[in-house]
Structure formats: C-alpha cells, structure tokens
Amino acid sequence: MSYRNPSPTVDIIIELIDRSQRPIILIERKNPPFGWAIPGGFVDYGESVESAAVREAEEETGVKVELVEQFHVYSDPNRDPRQHTLSVVFIATGKGEPKAADDAKNLGIFEFWQLPENLCFDHDRIMKDYWHYRFYGLRPRLG
C-alpha cells in the first residue's frame, strides 16, 4: 500500500538580537516560487524538525541560531504551489552578519514595517501572526 502524505518542512523566524529592534532575516529565493521567504526548507529523512531548523537557518543565512520556541504549524494544502507541505515554524535568535547562501539569491534584514510585498507561500500570513504574537503576546488561533 502506498500513502500520499504532505512533506514536512520548517521555517525559522530569526531575530537578530545584536541589533536594536531585533529585526528578522528574509531570503529572496533563487528557485521557483520566486519572491521573499522566511528561511527554511524540507526536513530530511531521519532528522528531527529542530535539527532541520538549525541546519536550514545556517545553510541559507550563514547564521548560527538558537531555537527559542516552536511557534505554530501551518498546513493548508495550498500553502506551497509545488506540493502539499506542512511547516513547523520556529522562532530563533541569531547574531552577526548574515549572508545569502544555498538556495537564497539575496538576503534582507527587515523591521516589521519594512516587509516586502512579494512573500512566497503563506509567509505573509505567518509574518502577520508572528508580529501579532511578538507585540501583543497572542498566538495564532487554530482552524
């Protein structure tokens, strides 16, 4: 019997704690779908989501991160135009000068009022939820 299951992914909201206002890092994707995205990627077989988050953050930004908390899981079947994925989103902290690497074409450091408009996947929703949590302490509602 074969199963069709969503692919597990991680996204990491990296707060740069060595800068005022703790801005976050976004990457500009060099592969489709094009646009800006939260650093992240697929979980490898045999890898925990926590390990995948640390690995993907460093691969795409060059920043060593410390995971602070698991924020939320996003699983809308249409969140990724390539295939059905679910994303475990983490909030992490990092320091230093990030650099675009791996499948990141470019990298930007953003305050909440500066986010680019062309966010990929469902990252506009994730960012709205994150800022709401960061400023008001309210987590996203289920459903």
Side-chain angles (χ1 to χ4, degrees):
M1 179 183 290
S2 68
Y3 296 96
R4 291 185 59 197
N5 297 326
S7 296
T9 66
V10 292
D11 289 303
I12 311 92
I13 301 168
I14 304 169
E15 299 176 348
L16 291 173
I17 59 172
D18 57 348
R19 298 173 190 230
S20 76
Q21 306 297 316
R22 293 185 353 247
I24 62 158
I25 301 171
L26 295 178
I27 59 151
E28 186 177 16
R29 293 177 49 83
K30 74 165 109 169
N31 300 311
F34 299 112
W36 289 90
I38 301 165
F42 290 92
V43 178
D44 292 336
Y45 185 80
E47 181 178 44
S48 71
V49 291
E50 295 84 1
S51 295
V54 170
R55 175 183 55 77
E56 285 288 346
E58 188 169 358
E59 284 178 1
E60 293 188 352
T61 70
V63 172
K64 291 189 184 294
V65 299
E66 183 175 327
L67 299 180
V68 175
E69 63 184 291
Q70 182 180 315
F71 177 57
H72 195 66
V73 175
Y74 294 83
S75 62
D76 183 320
N78 299 311
R79 67 176 304 276
D80 186 332
R82 302 168 299 177
Q83 68 186 70
H84 183 184
T85 64
L86 61 86
S87 181
V88 179
V89 179
F90 290 91
I91 297 174
T93 57
K95 296 178 184 177
E97 198 57 44
K99 293 180 179 45
D102 195 31
D103 59 354
K105 175 175 124 179
N106 197 2
L107 181 142
I109 299 169
F110 296 94
E111 306 286 352
F112 79 96
W113 63 85
Q114 302 172 308
L115 291 182
E117 291 184 18
N118 57 334
L119 292 174
C120 296
F121 311 111
D122 57 354
H123 291 187
D124 57 340
R125 177 180 170 203
I126 295 171
M127 287 285 76
K128 285 178 188 170
D129 289 347
Y130 164 72
W131 293 118
H132 201 228
Y133 175 64
R134 182 163 154 184
F135 292 120
Y136 302 107
L138 300 173
R139 288 193 168 276
R141 298 184 75 113
L142 297 177

